[in-house]
Amino acid sequence: MVLHITPYSSACLHFLDGLSWSLVFPCYWFLDRLLASCVATSLEKRQRSQDPCSILTLCVLISAPLYLLLLLASLPFALLGFIIWAPLQAVRQPYLYTYHRSHKHQAEQGQAGGAGIGEWRPQGRSFCFCSANVCLLPDSLARFNNLSDTHRRARELGKRICNGASRPQIKIYIDSPTNTSISAASFSSLATGFRRTSSLDQRPEQTQTNNGPAETESEPLTECPIHPSGATDCPVHHSAGDHGSTGCSLYHEGADTTADCPLHSNSNSDCPIHNSGEAQDCPMHSAVAQSGAGHHDCPMHGEGMQSKPSTDCPLHTSGVQISISAPEPDPQEDEAEMGNHRPGEQAAGDTGSMTASRESLARYHGDCGVGISSNNTLSHVPRTSIFKRPGRKRRHGDETFDHEISAFFPANLDFLALQEVFDHGSTTRLRRQLHRYFPYVLSDVGRYGWKGCCSRFKFLNSGLMLASRYPILDARYECYPNGRGEDALAAKGALFAKVHVGTSHQEQRVVGYLTCTHLHAIEGDASVRCEQLDLLLQWGTEFRQSSSQSPEGEKVLEDLVAFDVILGDLNFDNCSSEDKLEQQHALFTQYKDPCRLGPGEDKPWALGTLLDPSGLYDDDVCSPEGLQKVMENEEGRKEYLVFPPSKNQCPPGSQKGRKIPLKGNGRRIDYILYSDEGLQQDWKLDIEEVSFITQLAGLTDHLSVAMRLAVSTGEEEP
């Protein structure tokens, strides 16, 4: 299938569209600013109350009449532009496909060894999906959700998503007879510190050379690998910050420098503690490699010491290993780079996107100790500090997968579905940021004007956006025809995509199907949402059938389907009595919800994803770490999440100060569903992890949701 890489099929139509929008835009901007000056966010109200000279209020009083005059002056030009623009929407493409092989993508391809990512592994593979409602409405409309400055938020959203997803993947393997409930992979309970120690989610730039990415200039280690600075009970250092010979237990007294210390020397490139050199000489690796046979080479244990692991050694443990690896390379694609997109910006080390605080991460330097595996691949990271946050990742009862509330987007995020990306300028800024990590993006999805399904004029598109690390083979957009009220002004619908995730040994393509959607939002319109769910299932079936058909006259092998996933904001929850009709829909018989027990009943750990807009700028929840802590507390959830409406509860609006007890964990309206129907025989899907993400705190009124799905084929590694 042919993907649409330009909004119009001809350059002439593209020119007319640009001309018409240049005439309409001044009027649109003045109207947006005029309305925005009349609706203040809670943060702006607080700032005005703290302004002794009322300068901010005076600015509003002066700017509002000025915007009104300029709006009236621009109306004739806007009318002319609208006459040209409206008919053009009938031939506009329903989405824009952009492809950009980012700097990071090229660097990882240069570092990758062995089989390419396009080769399907016999034992299968795991994929990570994420859905987020980002509320990128025009600024005046976003203020009704207590959000403002849409363009700035779009840039910051993209930075945070890419910074979180490009973190190294960290796995903890625990072998303990008393703690088997957490012996699974961990992807975000540990944080890694890089050169910019003020931000934990920042990765350093790499220098590109003809032979691949050059190694980053090494930097001396200034932090203890066992604990971050400030700890006073480290078994390695007697006092925090004392890195001299008298404070380190790993080298003898009298040493002039720390060069002989196996923890402070910079002779190791593959070790998360060292920066350059060879890993063979690292006593940390040799210690871990021989941990099963004793600690003869351990820098903490001398030769001839005990033959079994010591519980007092901070570098070894009998049951804990930490494996650190960089995100695996993106899918290889022979397709030439398309020129319709704007190049992705290089990671600039912007300290404005700091999203994690060192102080809020729990230190791990107790009796257990940490064994660091030698298979890490972070040679391009100057240094790494290891922390462990207790109690973040856990299982409940007979649950077969982990669940957590995370301050970071999952490492190695493969697919990202966004909703409410309505503003045109914000779409461009967000897409540019996402291309730093995701090579393939579908954006500007939907229709304007009276085109297609719409009997009513559409002022906004669908607001959907899909980003992928894997090549997109086919895509289709469908518009819901039954919108009502203010929801009918936007072309809400469903975006379907087919992605290429690998190739089998028999040269069969391994593909996956993704559906991104945003349903009708007005409360009480359950019948409208159920009709949209019916259409969603129907369109999904039709898309899979049409995309699997081979071209006429060609014989190709049948595609192997790895997964079929639906992501989006469905605008109903699984605990409200008003949403019973949607809760019992056939969608949940064809697709599985990992957070759901049954109609009207969520699992105890499932978390609401709709935040109370009135509290977005409170000090407790305005940062990812702060919001994470609040969401882990029952009282905090009651304070800052939106709960199902009830006749016995206080009226809608701010929920602060409520005295009526609330049950559950808030309204969960953002979903990730998967289906195991249509898979190959003996193939199996298993959930590895479900995460509720707070990294977008202060930028949107929704929590993001992520799911890691393992696809096993039943084969064994040769």
Side-chain angles (χ1 to χ4, degrees):
M1 299 296 293
V2 178
L3 296 169
H4 305 303
I5 61 175
T6 58
Y8 296 95
S9 57
S10 71
C12 179
L13 295 177
H14 196 278
F15 170 78
L16 290 176
D17 179 76
L19 175 64
S20 63
W21 182 243
S22 65
L23 295 173
V24 171
F25 180 77
C27 181
Y28 163 81
W29 191 84
F30 291 135
L31 177 62
D32 186 53
R33 299 318 307 160
L34 176 62
L35 297 177
S37 64
C38 301
V39 183
T41 65
S42 61
L43 179 62
E44 292 171 340
K45 292 178 181 178
R46 185 194 310 169
Q47 293 172 343
R48 293 175 188 176
S49 65
Q50 297 173 352
D51 183 13
C53 300
S54 301
I55 296 178
L56 297 176
T57 304
L58 183 62
C59 291
V60 172
L61 294 177
I62 295 175
S63 61
L66 180 61
Y67 287 139
L68 179 59
L69 290 176
L70 294 173
L71 172 64
L72 296 176
S74 62
L75 276 176
F77 300 97
L79 180 60
L80 176 62
F82 180 79
I83 293 174
I84 302 174
W85 176 83
L88 290 175
Q89 305 315 303
V91 293
R92 184 185 179 92
Q93 303 295 354
Y95 61 82
L96 180 65
Y97 168 73
T98 55
Y99 164 65
H100 174 63
R101 185 177 291 272
S102 64
H103 178 79
K104 170 186 175 299
H105 179 80
Q106 294 175 353
E108 289 185 346
Q109 289 291 346
Q111 291 178 352
I117 193 67
E119 182 179 349
W120 185 256
R121 301 166 184 162
Q123 76 274 22
R125 186 179 295 161
S126 66
F127 302 92
C128 189
F129 308 84
C130 183
S131 176
N133 185 315
V134 292
C135 197
L136 291 179
L137 290 156
D139 193 55
S140 56
L141 299 181
R143 288 171 175 270
F144 290 97
N145 288 347
N146 201 24
L147 294 165
S148 64
D149 205 349
T150 299
H151 288 179
R152 178 195 63 81
R153 287 192 296 113
R155 287 191 296 268
E156 184 65 17
L157 281 163
K159 289 179 182 179
R160 293 194 188 183
I161 292 171
C162 292
N163 288 339
S166 60
R167 292 178 300 116
Q169 180 174 337
I170 303 176
K171 296 183 179 182
I172 304 178
Y173 301 95
I174 300 180
D175 183 13
S176 170
T178 60
N179 197 16
T180 56
S181 62
I182 58 173
S183 57
S186 172
F187 298 95
S188 60
S189 60
L190 297 185
T192 50
F194 302 123
R195 176 177 301 227
R196 292 185 177 271
T197 57
S198 59
S199 176
L200 293 181
D201 64 347
Q202 196 70 34
R203 297 190 65 165
E205 278 297 309
Q206 299 186 15
T207 304
Q208 186 73 26
T209 64
N210 294 333
N211 297 327
E215 289 188 1
T216 311
E217 181 181 354
S218 63
E219 179 180 294
L221 182 68
T222 60
E223 292 185 359
C224 174
I226 307 302
H227 64 73
S229 15
T232 58
D233 53 350
C234 173
V236 178
H237 295 95
H238 300 300
S239 60
D242 182 9
H243 290 158
S245 60
T246 59
C248 181
S249 305
L250 304 187
Y251 52 82
H252 301 289
E253 296 185 6
D256 295 333
T257 66
T258 59
D260 297 328
C261 174
L263 293 183
H264 293 98
S265 63
N266 295 325
S267 60
N268 238 314
S269 63
D270 293 335
C271 178
I273 297 172
H274 301 101
N275 299 327
S276 61
E278 297 297 327
Q280 296 96 317
D281 300 328
C282 176
M284 291 289 290
H285 290 119
S286 61
V288 175
Q290 299 187 25
S291 61
H295 297 306
H296 302 293
D297 296 327
C298 176
M300 289 295 293
H301 299 96
E303 292 189 18
M305 291 193 67
Q306 56 196 24
S307 59
K308 58 183 180 179
S310 169
T311 59
D312 297 327
C313 178
L315 306 184
H316 297 99
T317 179
S318 59
V320 180
Q321 284 190 349
I322 296 181
S323 171
I324 307 176
S325 60
E328 62 183 43
D330 297 326
Q332 294 179 353
E333 178 73 1
D334 296 332
E335 176 184 3
E337 179 172 344
M338 299 176 182
N340 61 298
H341 60 81
R342 298 182 182 180
E345 294 182 349
Q346 300 296 331
D350 186 6
T351 57
S353 64
M354 293 188 302
T355 59
S357 61
R358 226 175 266 274
E359 292 76 8
S360 62
L361 295 177
R363 273 73 170 175
Y364 177 73
H365 51 83
D367 296 332
C368 296
V370 179
I372 303 178
S373 172
S374 60
N375 63 342
N376 69 80
T377 58
L378 290 181
S379 58
H380 56 285
V381 179
R383 67 185 180 208
T384 302
S385 299
I386 306 292
F387 308 79
K388 180 178 179 181
R389 163 176 277 147
R392 300 296 190 202
K393 189 182 298 293
R394 52 192 177 274
R395 298 184 183 179
H396 187 277
D398 297 331
E399 205 70 80
T400 59
F401 56 86
D402 296 311
H403 52 85
E404 68 171 343
I405 303 172
S406 174
F408 303 95
F409 277 86
N412 291 358
L413 179 60
D414 296 306
F415 306 102
L416 175 68
L418 301 178
Q419 303 87 46
E420 292 196 13
V421 189
F422 288 115
D423 184 75
H424 182 73
S426 299
T427 300
T428 302
R429 289 167 172 81
L430 179 58
R431 180 175 61 233
R432 188 182 304 147
Q433 291 293 330
L434 291 179
H435 269 309
R436 293 168 47 205
Y437 180 80
F438 296 99
Y440 312 92
V441 175
L442 294 173
S443 60
D444 200 11
V445 179
R447 300 286 191 181
Y448 298 92
W450 288 282
K451 167 69 180 176
C453 67
C454 322
S455 58
R456 300 181 61 177
F457 190 88
K458 301 297 183 182
F459 289 92
L460 300 172
N461 62 11
S462 70
L464 301 176
M465 179 180 283
L466 182 65
S468 171
R469 293 178 66 207
Y470 291 86
I472 298 175
L473 300 175
D474 193 10
R476 178 188 298 177
Y477 160 77
E478 298 287 351
C479 178
Y480 294 128
N482 60 343
R484 295 181 185 176
E486 62 269 22
D487 248 33
L489 301 178
K492 285 189 173 181
L495 174 64
F496 303 91
K498 179 181 180 179
V499 292
H500 183 198
V501 297
T503 304
S504 70
H505 295 296
Q506 293 77 27
E507 298 301 322
Q508 288 179 276
R509 292 189 311 187
V510 182
V511 301
Y513 290 98
L514 300 168
T515 301
C516 179
T517 189
H518 190 188
L519 297 189
H520 186 70
I522 300 177
E523 295 183 4
D525 287 345
S527 59
V528 174
R529 282 185 287 273
C530 285
E531 292 174 8
Q532 293 177 349
L533 291 176
D534 291 337
L535 291 172
L536 184 70
L537 293 176
Q538 175 187 334
W539 291 335
T541 302
E542 294 172 355
F543 174 73
R544 289 188 293 274
Q545 291 176 350
S546 63
S547 64
S548 60
Q549 294 177 355
S550 58
E552 295 183 3
E554 294 185 16
K555 292 184 178 181
V556 295
L557 296 176
E558 181 182 359
D559 291 336
L560 304 177
V561 179
F563 55 80
D564 181 7
V565 176
I566 295 178
L567 311 96
D569 182 353
L570 303 188
N571 273 313
F572 66 87
D573 58 58
N574 195 36
C575 53
S576 299
S577 57
E578 289 80 359
D579 295 336
K580 285 185 177 180
L581 196 60
E582 299 98 313
Q583 296 164 7
Q584 299 173 355
H585 194 271
L587 172 75
F588 296 103
T589 62
Q590 299 184 30
Y591 289 83
K592 298 179 180 180
D593 181 358
C595 301
R596 168 184 166 116
L597 287 174
E601 185 180 7
D602 273 346
K603 294 180 179 179
W605 50 265
L607 189 65
T609 59
L610 187 59
L611 298 172
D612 181 7
S614 63
L616 293 179
Y617 302 106
D618 287 4
D619 293 338
D620 292 337
V621 296
C622 63
S623 68
E625 284 295 320
L627 182 57
Q628 179 193 33
K629 290 180 180 179
V630 168
M631 291 297 104
E632 291 173 341
N633 181 273
E634 183 178 0
E635 294 302 320
R637 292 193 292 269
K638 292 179 179 179
E639 186 77 10
Y640 289 101
L641 288 179
V642 174
F643 279 73
S646 173
K647 297 181 180 179
N648 298 325
Q649 292 177 7
C650 54
S654 176
Q655 301 183 115
K656 296 183 179 181
R658 65 159 67 90
K659 296 182 180 180
I660 301 175
L662 299 176
K663 296 182 179 180
N665 290 322
R667 297 197 66 198
R668 185 176 61 88
I669 64 176
D670 298 274
Y671 291 78
I672 301 182
L673 312 175
Y674 70 98
S675 174
D676 52 9
E677 298 180 4
L679 298 181
Q680 302 306 120
Q681 188 176 7
D682 297 331
W683 285 31
K684 183 181 178 182
L685 299 181
D686 292 300
I687 302 295
E688 290 186 348
E689 181 183 22
V690 173
S691 304
F692 297 92
I693 302 162
T694 64
Q695 194 166 1
L696 302 183
L699 301 178
T700 180
D701 57 349
H702 285 244
L703 296 179
S704 306
V705 184
M707 177 184 73
R708 198 175 294 273
L709 185 67
V711 183
S712 57
T713 62
E715 303 178 28
E716 295 182 357
E717 186 79 23

